[in-house]
Amino acid sequence: MEITGKIATVRKRIEQARRDGKRIGLVPTMGALHAGHTSLIDAAVQACDYVVVSIFVNPTQFGPNEDLDEYPRDIEVDSRLCAKGGVELIFVPDVDEMYPSPNMTWVNVEELTTGLCGRNRPGHFRGVTTVCNKLFNIVRPDIAFFGQKDAQQAIVIKRMVADTNLPLEIEICPTVREKDGLAMSSRNRYLDDQQRKDALLLYKALTRARQMVQQGARSSREIIAAMNEILQSAAGVAVEYVSVVDPETLSELDTITERAIIAVAARVKTTRLIDNIIVDLNKQ
Ligand code: AMP
């Protein structure tokens, strides 16, 4: 396995891999890798012959009061996990390599980015789609792998790829959870013991929502109220949104008629966490 910060080196390695007839997989990450990330790497290694993991804490997707500077960085552990997982190349550019001059060209997906996380994080998805567009142009993967944990991001990126005719597939992998259900996240490292307990309320609220749907509940308002009650049971949790949305358009649903994403974002003290589940009335 090789680690490089240089775009030119990535291009060279990819050209060779292509000459060798290899299928290229890309797993874009911000590092501080955990089992959620390694599940994407596993999927990539299964489906592809040459897997690239990018590790880049992308400044353009962070708002002015967000955790860009605090975001955990641990390339030693990350590279061990990648090597163990069968990754061929880690691309870990610095900010100057990715943004050599102030960025003037943005890739922005409209409509899908206005609700959910987009409402509270203006500019976030524009940063995500812009950096993913760059990574796709640098690596030119056959398949790029993303996690269902960031449901809105996955849908936005799929749309960006479709709208701009990028020649790659996007594969969405299931959310990996801790034993007790908490969705794995690099930001879980910020949580102390009490906050870690409070963080579990996101999963508890989603589990309750699933149970209600299984028992026949269809009204979003009813489901959201029950979820809010659970989330508000801890003083340390501040709900940002609880939403029931269409899995393609991300528009709010009053009633669940077929498939829906039930999504939650909350702050546990200062740590912002998100999670979601998909419910499908045809598969109960
Ligand atoms: P990040 O490093 O947080 O930007 O995440 C990189 C990729 O890993 C994204 O596609 C995420 O959706 C995915 N990911 C993060 N956490 C999980 C998880 N718990 N399960 C599955 N995928 C995840």
Side-chain angles (χ1 to χ4, degrees):
M1 188 186 74
E2 186 180 352
I3 305 178
T4 182
K6 296 293 162 211
I7 293 169
T9 307
V10 175
R11 290 200 194 282
K12 255 189 235 151
R13 300 296 179 264
I14 295 293
E15 264 165 37
Q16 186 58 51
R18 287 228 173 273
R19 273 199 297 275
D20 297 342
K22 292 187 173 165
R23 200 168 158 74
I24 316 284
L26 171 66
V27 181
T29 80
M30 298 204 299
L33 302 184
H34 50 65
H37 298 113
T38 55
S39 77
L40 305 188
I41 293 172
D42 290 346
V45 168
Q46 280 277 318
C48 303
D49 315 298
Y50 189 97
V51 172
V52 183
V53 169
S54 62
I55 297 179
F56 181 58
V57 183
N58 172 38
T60 66
Q61 71 189 68
F62 285 78
N65 299 314
E66 293 184 357
D67 57 342
L68 173 63
D69 295 334
E70 292 80 43
Y71 199 85
R73 292 158 170 90
D74 196 341
I75 188 67
E76 305 259 299
V77 173
D78 289 354
S79 48
R80 266 203 298 280
L81 284 172
C82 287
K84 214 167 117 201
V87 171
E88 298 277 354
L89 182 65
I90 301 181
F91 176 46
V92 51
D94 60 22
V95 174
D96 287 343
E97 184 74 3
M98 290 299 275
Y99 298 102
S101 44
N103 210 49
M104 291 189 191
T105 307
W106 300 97
V107 180
N108 190 38
V109 175
E110 297 175 359
E111 290 183 37
L112 294 175
T113 57
T114 54
L116 303 173
C117 292
R119 190 167 299 135
N120 295 296
R121 303 188 73 190
H124 167 68
F125 286 110
R126 187 184 76 154
V128 169
T129 40
T130 298
V131 82
C132 284
N133 190 270
K134 281 166 162 288
L135 290 167
F136 295 163
N137 282 318
I138 293 164
V139 178
R140 293 188 297 125
D142 296 287
I143 317 180
F145 298 79
F146 291 85
Q148 178 61 34
K149 155 82 169 32
D150 299 274
Q152 187 176 18
Q153 168 174 281
I155 290 162
V156 166
I157 285 169
K158 271 192 165 175
R159 186 63 185 228
M160 183 265 280
V161 166
D163 283 354
T164 60
N165 302 92
L166 284 171
L168 76 152
E169 284 170 43
I170 300 296
E171 194 171 314
I172 310 302
C173 303
T175 300
V176 177
R177 300 179 178 281
E178 301 284 357
K179 271 209 188 77
D180 62 2
L182 177 70
M184 293 209 177
S185 163
S186 305
R187 291 190 168 97
N188 291 349
R189 296 182 188 205
Y190 298 147
L191 304 170
D192 66 21
D193 288 352
Q194 182 56 48
Q195 292 162 3
R196 173 67 180 73
K197 279 188 198 133
D198 291 348
L200 198 57
L201 291 180
L202 277 76
Y203 178 67
K204 285 199 175 139
L206 290 169
T207 306
R208 175 79 187 115
R210 187 186 294 289
Q211 191 188 38
M212 287 176 76
V213 174
Q214 278 163 353
Q215 290 167 351
R218 298 291 178 265
S219 149
S220 298
R221 201 186 324 165
E222 206 182 302
I223 294 164
I224 291 168
M227 291 177 69
N228 271 320
E229 200 178 313
I230 292 171
L231 290 160
Q232 283 157 9
S233 67
V237 177
V239 177
E240 213 168 76
Y241 64 75
V242 177
S243 291
V244 179
V245 297
D246 180 282
E248 267 93 53
T249 63
L250 292 180
S251 51
E252 304 271 345
L253 297 173
D254 292 334
T255 310
I256 302 176
T257 54
E258 213 184 331
R259 292 177 78 234
I261 294 176
I262 304 179
V264 53
R267 264 177 208 286
V268 178
K269 280 269 151 44
T270 51
T271 305
R272 186 177 182 280
L273 300 176
I274 58 171
D275 198 354
N276 69 89
I277 54 168
I278 300 176
V279 292
D280 187 342
L281 300 189
N282 301 320
K283 285 192 196 154
Q284 290 208 69

